[in-house]
Amino acid sequence: MKHFAYISLIIWFVTTLPAHAQYEYTLKQCLEEGLLNNYSLRISRNEEQISKNNATLANAGYLPTIDLTAGYTGNIDNTNSTQRNDGSVVKERNVFDQTLDAGVDLNWTIFDGFSISTTYKELKELERQGATNTRIAIEDFIASLTAEYYNYIQQEIRLKNFRYAVSLSKERLRIVEERYHIGNFSRLDYQQAKVDFNADSAQYMKQQELVHTSRINLNEMMANKDVDRPIKVKDSIIELKHSLDFNKLWNATLNTNANLLKADQNSTLAELDYKKVLSRNYPYLRLNAGYGYTLNKYDINSIQRRNNWGFNGGVTIGFNIFDGNRRREKRNASLAIRNAQLEREQLEQGLRADLSNLWQAYRNNIRLLNLERQNLIAAKENHEIAKERYLLGDLSGIEMREAQKSLLDAEERILSAEYDTKMCEISLLQISGKVSLYLK
């Protein structure tokens, strides 16, 4: 009996953890905290901000560049000069000449074959795609955290079922032990009841690990500093939505699915790249201007010092006649557009297939759930009848155990059906772009 008392003590300790140390959450609260703190989402938002920062007129090339320059040059020369008239040689040694210059230069590409305007449109499209990437990350996060939230509920319900199984085995072991001592049951019945109790207790303790793992996952997704922090969820059942309609889901997918939106943006970017190649068929116009100052100091020249300052400016018009790559780049850009369109069509087909498969699984799970609920009622009645017969001595321990197992199996099947249906629901809402409904 020491072993029995030890297991009972463990179960009592696990089931009586201090409630004040737990944080109670609804699904909405979990999502709100996770959306605010999750590291992956924060990284995605920073990347979105980078794309916003890049979408400027200056980055596209619309604005001029202004450079301030200054320089100094010093020369020390030795010179031998031969005179033409008499052949004499004039020697000059360590002649030190100096030049100091400073200036402001402006360079501005006025027209570049629409390349600048196309680049700006491309940057704005990348900005929109950055927002789309963030939306995809948020929707993936909502789906993942919602799935883990209901997984935690599932593991808690399963733990409750195992706890009930332990209580049934404990009561059976008590009855067998009492009747064994008065000679109504054999030692085999007593040992079998003890084996069953130990098996249920071990299964219960193993389930504690799964609950713990799910709790850690929730804390990690919400970016809690203490990932081992106790959590208590307000929901105790897996609530299902039965108002889903396939046609509405598919229409919503075509209109709002973030991945389809991103595919459309990729097609737009491919078309803009093609326009940038075509812009090289046009001439370019560039403006340059500046203001400079130059100081020259001469060591032996007849002029000791010279100062120059003033404006300079010019206009350059050019046209690239041949560079050897334009036709190749044009063909490749055209193929890139086609590939972007094909990828979009492939994605749409894949979404249709996923939606159809999930919808079929969703409907089957709902029918299975209704069937399992009827089975659970029958299993409970069967267990009650078996329990009464067992107390009267009309049923063997093995048959009693089988009735108990049938009840637990029915509860497990209905729990699995509820969870599987919920997972289908989450996936259907994510594909159709409606997964944010869990925030309401």
Side-chain angles (χ1 to χ4, degrees):
M1 290 301 295
K2 290 182 179 180
H3 185 57
F4 165 72
Y6 174 71
I7 295 176
S8 299
L9 179 62
I10 292 177
I11 296 174
W12 174 84
F13 176 76
V14 169
T15 56
T16 56
L17 288 173
H20 66 274
Q22 295 181 342
Y23 296 84
E24 192 172 58
Y25 281 95
T26 63
L27 174 59
K28 182 181 179 180
Q29 290 171 330
C30 287
L31 290 172
E32 288 174 346
E33 185 171 327
L35 289 172
L36 182 65
N37 299 324
N38 182 266
Y39 291 106
S40 296
L41 292 182
R42 288 158 69 181
I43 292 172
S44 296
R45 292 189 183 102
N46 287 338
E47 291 175 347
E48 179 186 356
Q49 187 60 47
I50 290 173
S51 65
K52 287 182 179 180
N53 295 340
N54 288 334
T56 63
L57 294 174
N59 196 31
Y62 267 114
L63 303 183
T65 60
I66 300 176
D67 298 316
L68 176 64
T69 60
Y72 171 81
T73 303
N75 297 320
I76 300 177
D77 297 318
N78 297 310
T79 305
N80 290 338
S81 302
T82 303
Q83 299 296 323
R84 184 180 297 275
N85 54 358
D86 59 2
S88 61
V89 177
V90 179
K91 296 181 179 180
E92 297 172 345
R93 296 291 181 266
N94 299 320
V95 178
F96 184 34
D97 294 334
Q98 303 176 68
T99 302
L100 175 66
D101 62 82
V104 177
D105 298 311
L106 179 144
N107 294 280
W108 194 0
T109 301
I110 304 297
F111 179 74
D112 196 17
F114 305 106
S115 177
I116 296 175
S117 60
T118 304
T119 300
Y120 184 67
K121 291 177 182 178
E122 189 175 48
L123 291 173
K124 297 300 288 185
E125 192 66 28
L126 288 172
E127 179 184 359
R128 286 187 284 270
Q129 191 171 81
T132 303
N133 288 334
T134 300
R135 178 188 161 191
I136 291 173
I138 289 174
E139 290 182 354
D140 287 344
F141 174 79
I142 292 175
S144 298
L145 191 142
T146 302
E148 190 58 50
Y149 179 86
Y150 284 105
N151 178 55
Y152 184 70
I153 294 175
Q154 174 190 222
Q155 301 301 340
E156 286 278 18
I157 295 174
R158 187 172 288 124
L159 182 67
K160 181 180 178 181
N161 292 341
F162 287 153
R163 188 185 302 129
Y164 178 62
V166 171
S167 67
L168 292 178
S169 298
K170 180 180 178 181
E171 177 64 15
R172 176 182 161 212
L173 180 59
R174 184 190 65 79
I175 295 172
V176 171
E177 183 180 13
E178 290 178 354
R179 294 191 177 183
Y180 167 69
H181 287 307
I182 63 176
N184 286 352
F185 279 140
S186 66
R187 182 170 181 80
L188 178 62
D189 292 327
Y190 175 66
Q191 292 295 337
Q192 185 61 48
K194 185 185 292 187
V195 168
D196 292 339
F197 172 75
N198 290 343
D200 290 340
S201 300
Q203 197 170 25
Y204 176 82
M205 287 185 283
K206 184 67 176 178
Q207 181 60 26
Q208 277 289 334
E209 296 182 20
L210 299 178
V211 173
H212 176 80
T213 299
S214 182
R215 175 167 56 84
I216 295 295
N217 291 339
L218 275 177
N219 277 320
E220 183 181 13
M221 296 179 75
M222 290 188 291
N224 289 327
K225 298 298 182 182
D226 181 12
V227 295
D228 202 29
R229 183 179 68 172
I231 290 180
K232 181 181 179 182
V233 297
K234 290 186 178 181
D235 296 299
S236 59
I237 60 172
I238 300 177
E239 185 180 1
L240 303 174
K241 296 180 181 294
H242 300 287
S243 59
L244 299 182
D245 178 82
F246 179 81
N247 291 327
K248 292 181 180 179
L249 289 171
W250 177 239
N251 289 333
T253 300
L254 293 176
N255 294 325
T256 62
N257 181 271
N259 287 296
L260 280 179
L261 177 60
K262 184 177 179 179
D264 291 334
Q265 292 167 345
N266 286 333
S267 296
T268 301
L269 289 171
E271 292 171 359
L272 290 173
D273 284 337
Y274 182 78
K275 290 182 179 180
K276 287 176 69 175
V277 175
L278 294 182
S279 68
R280 291 157 65 181
N281 295 328
Y282 295 87
Y284 56 85
L285 175 63
R286 295 169 186 168
L287 171 68
N288 62 282
Y291 181 87
Y293 170 79
T294 303
L295 170 64
N296 297 105
K297 294 181 68 176
Y298 305 104
D299 199 3
I300 62 171
N301 199 310
S302 60
I303 301 174
Q304 181 182 4
R305 175 180 305 198
R306 174 177 292 169
N307 296 290
N308 294 321
W309 62 91
F311 289 96
N312 64 83
V315 175
T316 302
I317 299 176
F319 182 80
N320 184 270
I321 298 175
F322 177 77
D323 60 11
N325 290 316
R326 197 176 309 172
R327 293 180 62 185
R328 174 185 59 80
E329 293 178 4
K330 182 178 178 181
R331 288 195 298 265
N332 288 347
S334 179
L335 289 172
I337 293 175
R338 182 55 182 158
N339 279 346
Q341 293 171 347
L342 292 173
E343 289 172 358
R344 202 271 185 200
E345 293 172 5
Q346 182 184 33
L347 176 61
E348 182 177 332
Q349 184 184 53
L351 290 173
R352 175 73 183 196
D354 291 342
L355 195 70
S356 296
N357 288 332
L358 286 168
W359 180 254
Q360 183 65 34
Y362 176 75
R363 293 179 60 193
N364 285 343
N365 280 320
I366 289 179
R367 288 194 289 264
L368 181 63
L369 182 59
N370 293 330
L371 179 62
E372 293 299 343
R373 284 170 176 165
Q374 298 176 12
N375 288 339
L376 180 61
I377 296 174
K380 286 181 177 179
E381 293 178 354
N382 183 54
H383 180 264
E384 290 299 323
I385 294 172
K387 184 178 180 181
E388 293 176 1
R389 292 184 58 192
Y390 181 74
L391 292 175
L392 294 174
D394 294 337
L395 199 68
S396 66
I398 295 177
E399 291 173 314
M400 180 61 200
R401 177 65 176 178
E402 185 63 30
Q404 178 185 345
K405 187 176 183 300
S406 297
L407 175 60
L408 294 175
D409 288 345
E411 291 175 337
E412 176 62 27
R413 287 195 304 271
I414 196 172
L415 179 60
S416 297
E418 287 176 342
Y419 181 72
D420 291 341
T421 306
K422 192 65 181 180
M423 293 305 99
C424 290
E425 175 191 299
I426 293 171
S427 298
L428 287 169
L429 292 177
Q430 183 180 11
I431 289 177
S432 59
K434 295 182 177 182
V435 73
S436 58
L437 289 175
Y438 289 114
L439 280 167
K440 297 181 179 180

